[in-house]
Structures are given as C-alpha cells and as structure tokens.
Amino acid sequence: MTFRQAQGHPEHSEKGRRVTPSRESEMVLVTGGAGFIGSHLCDALIERGYKVICVDNFITGSRENIEHLLDDEKFELVEHDITVPFSSLIPTPSSLKCIFHLASPASPVDYSAFSIETLIVNSLGTYNVLEVAREGGAKVLLASTSEVYGDPKVSPQSEDYWGNVNPVGPRACYDEAKRFAEALTVAYHRRYGLDVVIVRIFNTFGPRMRGKDGRVVPNFIQQALSNKPLTVYGDGSQTRSFCYIDDLIDGLLKAMFSKGTTGEIINLGNPNEMTILSLAEHIKEMCKSSSEMVFLPLPEDDPLQRRPDISRAERLLGWKPKISLDEGLTRTIEWFLKGKA
Ligand code: NAD
Ligand code: UDP
C-alpha cells in the first residue's frame, strides 16, 4: 500500500492548485510557510532572489503573516494539508532546489489542542515531503526541536545526547512525533542517499508569534503591557535559552545552503540560559509594567532546563546568534504594541 493511493489526489482537493513554474530563479518549497518561523523564512528567501512555494493549511499559521508577499511574483501560496500527498501541486519536482519542512504545531498549547494532527503531520506529512524530494532530488531541511531531548539530564544539550522523553506524557504528541520525523528523514538519507539536514531549534521568539499561542514570551509581553499578572508556572526556576528570530533564520539558511551539511544534525539556538522567573522580571521592567507575578502549577513534564550546545553549528556553519535578548525583546515588544498579534 502507498499512502499516496490511500489519500487521494491533491488536484481533486478544493484548495490545492497547480503552481506555475519559473525558469528564471531557483524554486524553494517551505511547508508551514505561513507560521511564525516559516513566514520570516519566506521573506528571507525572497529577499535572496529565490522563488518560494509556501504550503500551509493555516491550522496554527495565518494569512496575515504572508499577506505582504501575496502580490510578489516570486511567491506562491498553496493552501493545502501536507498529510495529503502534494507532489502534483509542484510543477515538476525536479524544478525544486530544496524543501524547508516546518509544518507542525509548535507551542505546547497548540500541540495539546492538536495532538493527533501534530503526530500525523510529523509522520505522514514528513513522508509526503520526503517523497516529493526523492522524486526530484531536492535537499530537505527538517525543522526538529530541542524537545527531542525531553526533560534533559545533561546540560548543555549536544546533538549526541539521546534525550529523556516520556513517550506517553502530555508532550509526547510533539516530542515523539519529531523523533519519528528525524528517524524517517535519516532513513531516507541512508536508503536513498537523499540530501537531508536536521536542525533542532531551541526556543525562538520575535514578531508574528500569535498572541494566543501560549508560549512564554508572547504571554509575558501581553500581560506586562496590559498590567495584568504575569503567569509564572511552577516557581519559575526552570530555564530556557531564547533566540531571536533573525538569528534563527540566518542559521536555517546556512544549514540548508552551506557545503558539508548533508546528513548532519545541528542545534540552532541561543546558549544564553535564564530562569523563567528572571525572564518575567526582565520583561516587566522593559515594559515599565505594574504587573504582579502569579505562580501557577508547573505543567506535567515541563523540562526543567534547556540550553543548546551550539559548537557544531559554529564549526559547520560559522553561525552563532548575534542579537541580544534585550534587542530582540525590544523589537518584539514594539510589534506587540502595534497590536498586530
Ligand atoms: P507555527 O505554528 O507558527 O507554524 C507552523 C506552521 O505549520 C503553521 O503555519 C501551520 O498552519 C502549518 N501547518 C501545521 N500543520 C500543517 C499541515 N498538516 N499542512 C500544512 N501546514 C501545516 O510554529 P513555528 O513556531 O513557526 O514553528 C515552525 C517549526 O519550527 C515547527 O516544525 C516547530 O516544531 C519548529 N520549532 C519551533 C520552535 C520555536 O521556538 N518557535 C522551536 C523548536 C522547533
Ligand atoms: N511558562 C510560564 N508562563 C507562561 C507560559 C510558559 O511560566 O505563561 C513557562 C513554561 O512552563 C516553560 C517555559 O515558560 O517552563 C517555556 O514555555 P513555552 O510554552 O514558551 O515553551 P517550551 O519551552 O515549554 O516549549
């Protein structure tokens, strides 16, 4: 049995439509291109002269994120669920230079609400992406996550660490889905010699994060700006390391386009680790807010520490984050002040 036969043909879907080929520029596919990271990536690719096909079903992304690109001749939006095969929506798969595979709910609130969708997009959706790549020989970058390390017992986390994941806990739908996506991607590389690179993205923030996606930076900024209590989960001693979106996009482009990344697994994130309580205090101060702190129960399996070891990214890509937490927060707060979330 093939998944393609079982799922029907995308040309028969109401929303799917064939994309017009372009001879002038190299074509890049971005799954999840209407999301937070994906939309910034589409911007960066277009700026660099690529023709971009963005495939998204808007389950957690939004049209507003890519609205400014819709009239650009180098940009094509294909509204489609990638768990349904989509190779016939691409002019000729051999015209694709590469695929950035980002489609997946990403915030704990989103993947709890869409647990099965998250499992299916990372398994069946990833399979469909890899098959499109195999047809035409495109390179695939899989957007994986620091969550594959679970609640890590070692710090910082290097790519060789296998992780500490609860396979049946509330985060399993995301963690195990991404671990499966990694295993499938590696299997295509081993069996077919497909050109692949896996990046494990650590907490990233910036403009275009949805106000309601429940992640800590948008929550704290909105709460601080409206002088409402900042909701710290647990005692706030758990740590995270926050990377600004522009640095991450630079890392994603380097991971895809640098020589010598085939078959590699690369952490991308900012090693600047801090407690969640200190992040709350910092955002409150930056917003000149009179908010109080309220301490709410720590969600089950919430990782207690997270910090990337980025020595591999530094060595292979010559990449490390350049934008400070303060600079990134200033830009993000300004964006929220414009009321676009
Ligand atoms: P996001 O929710 O803003 O974007 C995900 C996009 O994928 C959305 O536009 C959504 O509509 C789309 N999508 C989901 N399922 C789809 C499907 N079946 N078919 C088509 N499109 C679908 O999330 P994000 O923060 O931009 O994350 C993007 C990627 O980066 C995800 O794969 C996520 O796991 C990974 N990642 C993000 C972070 C982070 O801090 N933001 C950290 C680690 C990993
Ligand atoms: N968190 C918090 N208050 C909030 C949202 C999140 O204290 O309003 C905590 C959460 O428990 C976790 C950290 O902030 O320890 C980061 O959460 P987020 O959902 O942003 O991403 P995660 O790293 O858990 O995927």
Side-chain angles (χ1 to χ4, degrees):
M1 169 195 149
T2 68
F3 288 112
R4 181 164 296 149
Q5 280 156 358
Q7 290 292 318
H9 199 278
E11 278 181 333
H12 301 156
S13 97
E14 272 181 36
K15 289 170 182 160
R17 73 196 155 87
R18 191 177 280 277
V19 168
T20 324
S22 158
R23 294 219 175 100
E24 297 82 44
S25 41
E26 291 181 301
M27 188 138 37
V28 175
L29 183 74
V30 180
T31 74
F36 160 52
I37 297 176
S39 62
H40 286 281
L41 181 62
C42 290
D43 287 348
L45 287 164
I46 283 172
E47 259 172 50
R48 285 161 180 76
Y50 292 101
K51 179 170 171 57
V52 174
I53 304 171
C54 160
V55 185
D56 204 297
N57 67 350
F58 298 115
I59 187 172
T60 56
S62 75
R63 198 171 279 274
E64 293 78 66
N65 285 343
I66 46 157
E67 196 108 61
H68 59 289
L69 295 175
L70 291 175
D71 290 335
D72 194 314
E73 59 176 18
K74 286 193 182 304
F75 183 78
E76 288 278 353
L77 169 65
V78 179
E79 189 174 345
H80 181 74
D81 179 344
I82 63 154
T83 64
V84 178
F86 58 93
S87 85
S88 64
L89 298 177
I90 312 300
T92 44
S94 60
S95 60
L96 273 185
K97 180 179 173 69
C98 56
I99 305 177
F100 288 87
H101 176 31
L102 275 67
S104 168
S107 92
V109 167
D110 286 342
Y111 61 69
S112 307
F114 298 116
S115 53
I116 295 169
E117 289 83 350
T118 303
L119 282 154
I120 300 299
V121 71
N122 281 291
S123 50
L124 188 50
T126 300
Y127 168 78
N128 289 332
V129 166
L130 292 165
E131 281 294 302
V132 167
R134 194 161 76 90
E135 268 180 72
K139 181 172 182 177
V140 176
L141 178 148
L142 171 69
S144 186
T145 167
S146 52
E147 282 281 331
V148 299
Y149 303 123
D151 187 5
K153 299 292 176 209
V154 302
S155 189
Q157 294 84 53
S158 76
E159 294 86 349
D160 299 328
Y161 178 51
W162 291 356
N164 174 42
V165 171
N166 177 354
V168 290
R171 299 171 88 99
C173 60
Y174 184 62
D175 301 11
E176 295 293 14
K178 287 289 184 183
R179 287 166 72 99
F180 179 89
E182 288 199 6
L184 190 62
T185 302
V186 165
Y188 268 72
H189 176 61
R190 293 209 177 107
R191 184 183 292 185
Y192 302 118
L194 195 72
D195 193 351
V196 300
V197 57
I198 295 173
V199 293
R200 293 183 179 151
I201 302 170
F202 285 63
N203 295 65
T204 299
F205 72 100
R208 299 189 196 153
M209 291 187 95
R210 264 177 29 256
K212 289 188 178 148
D213 87 0
R215 285 184 272 199
V216 68
V217 171
N219 271 11
F220 284 173
I221 290 179
Q222 290 175 111
Q223 290 161 349
L225 289 177
S226 54
N227 293 315
K228 290 187 178 147
L230 268 62
T231 52
V232 177
Y233 301 160
D235 61 6
S237 62
Q238 70 273 30
T239 67
R240 293 294 186 274
S241 312
F242 295 98
C243 183
Y244 187 65
I245 183 70
D246 292 7
D247 279 330
L248 179 79
I249 297 299
D250 182 39
L252 291 177
L253 294 173
K254 288 192 163 115
M256 179 65 99
F257 298 124
S258 301
K259 284 194 178 131
T261 61
T262 297
E264 292 288 348
I265 298 165
I266 306 171
N267 285 341
L268 290 180
N270 193 319
N272 178 22
E273 184 180 13
M274 64 194 313
T275 67
I276 292 302
L277 183 58
S278 61
L279 176 73
E281 284 161 350
H282 199 61
I283 289 179
K284 182 181 157 178
E285 198 182 306
M286 287 185 76
C287 294
K288 299 186 177 51
S289 170
S290 60
S291 294
E292 293 173 0
M293 306 276 175
V294 291
F295 293 87
L296 302 177
L298 189 67
E300 194 183 336
D301 291 343
D302 198 298
L304 293 182
Q305 57 179 351
R306 187 179 288 156
R307 178 184 176 206
D309 177 336
I310 58 163
S311 43
R312 188 175 293 176
E314 288 189 62
R315 178 170 51 79
L316 287 177
L317 313 178
W319 176 88
K320 64 178 175 188
K322 295 185 185 123
I323 297 164
S324 69
L325 181 71
D326 276 13
E327 177 59 31
L329 284 175
T330 302
R331 293 187 204 175
T332 311
I333 291 166
E334 276 167 12
W335 187 79
F336 274 94
L337 276 171
K338 286 186 202 148
K340 289 192 168 178

